[in-house]
Amino acid sequence: MTDDDSLDRHKDKMAKKKASRDKLMAKKQGEKGLVIVHTGPGKGKSTAAFGMALRCVGHGFPVGIVQFIKGAWDTAERRIMDTFAPLVTFKAMGEGFTWETQDRARDVAAAGRAWDMAAEMLADPAIRLVILDEINVALRYDYLALDDVLAAIKARPEGQHVVLTGRNAAPALIEAADLVTEMALVKHPFRDGIKAQPGIEF
C-alpha cells in the first residue's frame, strides 16, 4: 500500500465519521438547566466545577458559588473568582474538614448557614450556574437534609445549572442528576509523602 492509498483511506474514514457525527448532532436541539454531580475519590471534582464557572464568566453569565467545607482555607480559587465580582458571588462558608473542627454542632450550624445562602442562589433566576462545593460531604454526614436539597434543586429556575461536588454522592442525588462524573483515584502524591501544594490543591 502506498502512502497515497493510506491517506485516501484515512480521509474516507474521517468523512464517514463526520457525516455520522453531523447526523447525530442535528438531532440534539434541546436545552435545559442541568444538575451535574462530581463525585468519587479522585482529585479534580471542585477544579472541574470552577472550570465551568470560568466558562460562564467568559459568556457573561452570573455565577454563584458556596463552599460547604473548605471555607476556612485561603484558596486561590476564591481569590481569582472574587476578581470577577459582581458577576461571580463566592461564599466560603465552611469551617474546615470535620476532623479539624471536631465539633459536630458547629459543623451542622455552618452547613445550615451555607445551605441558606445556597437556597437563595438556587431561587434566583438571574444566576446561570450555582456551584455547591463539597455539599456531598455535608450530606454524607447528615449536616443537611437531602430531601431539602433535592426539593430546592427541582424547584430552581428554568435554565439554571447546578453543580454539586464531593465524595460519596447520595444515590438519590445521582438519580436526580443529568450528568454524573466519578473521579477515579489511580495515583496520588500524598501517598508518597508529598503535601498539598499551592496551585495544585489550593
Side-chain angles (χ1 to χ4, degrees):
M1 182 185 300
T2 67
D3 287 344
D4 287 344
D5 290 338
S6 178
L7 290 173
D8 287 343
R9 286 182 60 190
H10 176 77
K11 185 176 179 181
D12 288 345
K13 182 179 178 181
M14 291 302 107
K16 289 176 183 175
K17 184 174 276 193
K18 182 180 183 328
S20 175
R21 187 73 180 169
D22 288 347
K23 184 177 179 181
L24 177 68
M25 294 304 290
K27 296 177 182 178
K28 312 295 183 186
Q29 300 295 327
E31 287 189 7
K32 62 174 280 192
L34 300 175
V35 177
I36 301 168
V37 174
H38 295 169
T39 193
K43 175 176 164 41
K45 297 177 285 293
S46 297
T47 306
F50 293 131
M52 282 191 273
L54 289 175
R55 285 178 175 163
C56 281
V57 167
H59 287 285
F61 297 145
V63 177
I65 301 168
V66 177
Q67 286 192 308
F68 280 79
I69 303 295
K70 299 172 184 169
W73 292 15
D74 175 24
T75 61
E77 58 262 27
R78 186 193 317 178
R79 292 182 201 171
I80 196 68
M81 291 298 176
D82 281 347
T83 68
F84 294 115
L87 198 59
V88 176
T89 302
F90 196 115
K91 299 292 183 180
M93 304 188 72
E95 295 193 11
F97 292 100
T98 54
W99 58 85
E100 292 170 341
T101 62
Q102 300 180 19
D103 185 336
R104 179 175 172 79
R106 181 175 153 189
D107 292 338
V108 170
R113 290 190 297 272
W115 174 246
D116 288 344
M117 178 58 63
E120 284 184 28
M121 291 180 179
L122 288 167
D124 187 344
I127 299 178
R128 179 63 173 263
L129 173 68
V130 177
I131 296 174
L132 306 179
D133 190 38
E134 299 289 355
I135 193 173
N136 293 338
V137 177
L139 289 167
R140 180 187 180 198
Y141 287 111
D142 295 321
Y143 296 165
L144 300 172
L146 177 60
D147 287 346
D148 291 347
V149 174
L150 290 171
I153 289 170
K154 186 174 182 180
R156 75 192 191 285
E158 185 177 352
Q160 184 188 80
H161 306 297
V162 57
V163 184
L164 305 98
T165 77
R167 296 179 180 217
N168 303 112
L173 185 57
I174 290 173
E175 178 66 26
D178 300 289
L179 172 62
V180 179
T181 299
E182 184 171 9
M183 309 294 189
L185 177 61
V186 178
K187 291 180 73 174
H188 198 295
F190 187 77
R191 291 179 173 177
D192 294 325
I194 306 300
K195 67 179 183 179
Q197 299 178 79
I200 303 299
E201 277 84 18
F202 61 91

